[in-house]
Amino acid sequence: MPTRSPGVRPGSPPVRSTRRRRWRGPALALSVAVLLLAVGLSLAIGSRPIAPGVVWDSLTGAAQGQDALVVRELRVPRTILGIAVGIALGLSGALMQALTRNPLADPGLLGVNSGAAAAMVTAVAVAGVTSPMGLVWFSMVGAAVVSVVVYVIGTSGRGGATPVRLALAGTAIAAALGAYTTGMILLDSRTFDRFRYWQVGSLVGQDLSLVAQVAPFFVVGTLLALSQGRALNALALGEDSGRALGANVARTRVLTAVAVTLLCGAATAAAGPIWFLGLAVPHMVRAVTGPDQRWVLPFSLVLAPALLLLGDVLGRVVVRPGELEVSIVTAVLGAPVLIALVRRKRLAQL
């Protein structure tokens, strides 16, 4: 007769799954602690190190002088923007990987970054817009329009929208817009100068007024993203199984695409394209939580901004007294992660 391990009943959950459920709560608390540490380091470390006590007094208004001015006027807006952008990119990456069932998907898969870039260069070259506030709105519109176009193309024909069609449509639109953007910046030196700074991807030089303008997009996108966890879990079993479990496939795809557009569009418009964060964070999270999107999304919301702020702090330290832009840091750290994923994981079947 077949034997089984003592203490294991038929139909009981796997030991690994049980351990994951047991550690989810403590791991989330640890992630929150890492985020708080990253916020503290972001406020204290830079070309001009500031003691933690002075940072606290500056935040409470008890301290005055140059250090307090640096904290309140420069580092607080930079840190808040880093938190918002990190949340947006982390959630966008998790949503895209769940929606397309592709472990190597990232927020740029639907052409959001390319749409924002194309709209920005058009605003500078044609309309003469140069202010950060104006460019944010143009970038948001470009991201939204491209997302709608990609979804329309992906849903055309028999069978409706599928992960493969959405991914291929996004790749095609991104390639076309990339060629358009390159042509525009080569024809206009002023556009090239403005785009060159934005293209790097940075948290430097932004103030709270910019954060306030894009905050509604971050808030709505975050709420939409967190509301899709259960439906995405159902879709992970396949469309037919998802429908049988009560999930509305079309509505889930639309709401997820809207959330990605709002989050990634706002993040790209405010800070420029920042690569690999949306790709790497969901994989790190699933190593702890498993594939349950009800946990993947909250973990990504906490861990992504922590890693982005830590990368920003690292960029301030490695070339002091200068700074290395955070997108360069994330690219240097994220490229090995991508290589490891390609070597260790099978790509999703197309």
Side-chain angles (χ1 to χ4, degrees), residues 42 75-85 208 211 309:
S42 179
R75 295 186 183 173
V76 167
R78 183 172 182 171
T79 301
I80 293 176
L81 181 62
I83 293 173
V85 170
L208 288 178
V211 178
L309 290 179

Side-chain angles (χ1 to χ4, degrees), residues 23-254:
W23 286 103
R24 283 170 181 169
L28 185 58
L30 179 60
S31 299
V32 172
V34 172
L35 175 58
L36 294 176
L37 175 62
V39 169
L41 293 176
S42 179
L43 295 174
I45 295 178
S47 58
R48 182 187 182 95
I50 300 176
V54 177
V55 170
W56 177 255
D57 290 339
S58 301
L59 295 176
T60 59
Q64 301 298 327
Q66 189 172 4
D67 285 346
L69 186 64
V70 168
V71 171
R72 288 195 292 260
E73 299 297 326
L74 298 179
R75 295 186 183 173
V76 167
R78 183 172 182 171
T79 301
I80 293 176
L81 181 62
I83 293 173
V85 170
I87 289 174
L89 295 179
L91 288 177
S92 296
L95 290 174
M96 286 304 305
Q97 291 175 16
L99 181 66
T100 64
R101 299 195 292 275
N102 183 349
L104 298 182
D106 72 347
L109 189 65
L110 286 183
V112 176
N113 291 347
S114 300
M120 199 207 76
V121 299
T122 302
V124 175
V126 178
V129 178
T130 56
S131 67
M133 301 299 179
L135 292 176
V136 162
W137 289 103
F138 274 94
S139 300
M140 281 297 307
V141 171
V145 169
V146 169
S147 296
V148 172
V149 171
V150 168
Y151 189 79
V152 170
I153 295 175
T155 55
S156 62
R158 298 170 58 184
T162 65
V164 176
R165 287 182 175 178
L166 292 175
L168 292 178
T171 301
I173 295 296
L177 290 178
Y180 167 80
T181 300
T182 302
M184 292 292 288
I185 63 176
L186 290 177
L187 294 173
D188 189 340
S189 59
R190 181 186 60 175
T191 304
F192 174 74
D193 291 337
R194 185 67 185 87
F195 182 77
R196 178 177 59 182
Y197 173 79
W198 178 85
Q199 179 69 14
V200 172
S202 174
L203 304 177
V204 181
Q206 309 295 0
D207 54 30
L208 288 178
S209 60
L210 176 65
V211 178
Q213 286 218 0
V214 297
F217 301 103
F218 284 125
V219 172
V220 175
T222 299
L223 294 177
L224 273 178
L226 294 177
S227 69
Q228 297 306 303
R230 188 179 297 275
L232 289 172
N233 281 344
L235 289 187
L237 302 175
E239 293 185 12
D240 293 337
S241 298
R243 291 190 182 95
L245 292 173
N248 188 318
V249 175
R251 183 178 63 186
T252 300
R253 284 179 176 156
V254 170

